[in-house]
Amino acid sequence: MLSASRFNGMLNKMGQQAQWRRGYECPCRDPHSGAADPFCPACGGKGITWGESVTATVAIAGQKVQQEWAKLGMYESGDMVVTIPSDSAIYSLGQFDRLVMVQSSVPFSRVLTHDGTEVLPFAVERIERASWLEGGAEVDGGLPMVLVDGSLSWSSSPPPVGRQYSLTGRQRPEYFALRDFPQDRAHFGGQPLPRRVVLRLMDLFGR
């Protein structure tokens, strides 16, 4: 007989830690069109706000499942299918909720302008290089600290005010929940079984 608890135990051993933030429809949405207010201070025009993060375990699904999702014709580069144990704190993950994979990292490089208000809109693992141009030559500066809200704090050698600079490092991959993966069973003998959910890169949210 299929044991949900053993299934969960296997997934919890092979899974990765993720930070989950539940998504909520922003009250700024137009009641007729459903469009968000592009100047809304709460959601920034995205139409969704997100709550505090909760850490739990998800398991990356196999390549066969990824191929099945691609065959549905809705696949985007970077999509990922995860399996969520039924005893996980994020078992109730819903559409547009956010997940940060805290045990993985990917490279990033961004060009910003230094005015003291820069914010990185993703979870940063580390900053590796900050550079800008002076007299046609590239200059390496100090490395900023990334604060909880994503803002940057420079203790030494910041870029000149108003100067464009390049910031390079590694970030935590972040996704939003797109939908449940189609399946022909959700329970077995009354026991809740793990769910499969399609995730899409947060950079593609709203596109």
Side-chain angles (χ1 to χ4, degrees), residues 131-155:
S131 65
W132 57 90
L133 297 176
E134 285 188 4
E138 193 172 17
V139 175
D140 286 344
L143 301 181
M145 289 183 57
V146 182
L147 305 183
V148 175
D149 63 356
S151 60
L152 304 177
S153 175
W154 303 79
S155 60

Side-chain angles (χ1 to χ4, degrees), residues 89-185:
I90 63 176
Y91 186 66
S92 59
L93 180 82
Q95 190 176 36
F96 303 139
D97 291 3
R98 297 170 73 158
L99 277 183
V100 175
M101 310 303 289
V102 299
Q103 293 176 305
S104 302
S105 67
V106 293
F108 79 89
S109 191
R110 292 283 181 103
V111 175
L112 306 169
T113 299
H114 184 50
D115 60 8
T117 65
E118 306 99 282
V119 175
L120 293 177
F122 45 77
V124 176
E125 181 194 41
R126 64 178 182 270
I127 301 294
E128 298 173 338
R129 186 175 188 245
S131 65
W132 57 90
L133 297 176
E134 285 188 4
E138 193 172 17
V139 175
D140 286 344
L143 301 181
M145 289 183 57
V146 182
L147 305 183
V148 175
D149 63 356
S151 60
L152 304 177
S153 175
W154 303 79
S155 60
S156 64
S157 303
V161 175
R163 184 71 54 85
Q164 280 194 174
Y165 64 99
S166 173
L167 201 62
T168 301
R170 297 190 70 84
Q171 70 181 85
R172 302 296 186 190
E174 184 169 15
Y175 301 84
F176 69 93
L178 186 62
R179 58 172 290 180
D180 277 317
F181 194 88
Q183 56 186 17
D184 58 4
R185 52 102 181 116

Side-chain angles (χ1 to χ4, degrees), residues 185-200:
R185 52 102 181 116
H187 295 78
F188 178 82
Q191 300 181 79
L193 294 179
R195 296 173 56 207
R196 288 187 297 182
V197 178
V198 177
L199 304 180
R200 181 154 290 173

Side-chain angles (χ1 to χ4, degrees), residues 34-108:
D37 179 354
F39 304 106
C40 176
C43 71
K46 293 183 179 296
I48 302 288
T49 61
W50 290 275
E52 296 297 318
S53 65
V54 174
T55 301
T57 300
V58 298
I60 309 301
Q63 184 62 32
K64 180 180 178 181
V65 177
Q66 299 280 51
Q67 290 173 354
E68 290 176 13
W69 169 243
K71 288 177 181 178
L72 293 177
M74 295 177 285
Y75 177 84
E76 291 280 353
S77 179
D79 282 359
M80 179 169 66
V81 180
V82 296
T83 301
I84 305 174
S86 61
D87 60 357
S88 171
I90 63 176
Y91 186 66
S92 59
L93 180 82
Q95 190 176 36
F96 303 139
D97 291 3
R98 297 170 73 158
L99 277 183
V100 175
M101 310 303 289
V102 299
Q103 293 176 305
S104 302
S105 67
V106 293
F108 79 89

